[in-house]
Amino acid sequence: MSETFTTAAARLTGHAALLLGWRPDEFWSATPQELAGILAALSPGDGAHAPSRGTLEKLMETFPDG
């Protein structure tokens, strides 16, 4: 039997809370692509590389949290 949306959402919300420290509103505000990217980066051996300092600075300038 396939997993229902409600069951899958509850499971993913729990993972986001445990792994990322996200509250439910943060989970529901994220796009599926954002969540997939973060979880992929946490997966061992997937070949993901940390962004360079320059890339981080450019992102911080483009998307300030201030």
Side-chain angles (χ1 to χ4, degrees):
M1 180 184 273
S2 65
E3 186 173 38
T4 66
F5 174 81
T6 304
T7 304
R11 183 177 48 79
L12 284 173
T13 303
H15 288 313
L18 289 172
L19 295 171
L20 308 173
W22 285 6
R23 296 179 304 268
D25 61 319
E26 293 167 317
F27 172 80
W28 289 109
S29 294
T31 66
Q33 185 70 26
E34 290 169 331
L35 182 58
I38 292 167
L39 294 177
L42 293 174
S43 299
D46 68 352
H49 301 285
S52 69
R53 182 65 188 172
T55 299
L56 287 175
E57 288 173 354
K58 188 172 186 178
L59 287 168
M60 289 188 292
E61 183 179 315
T62 304
F63 303 103
D65 291 334

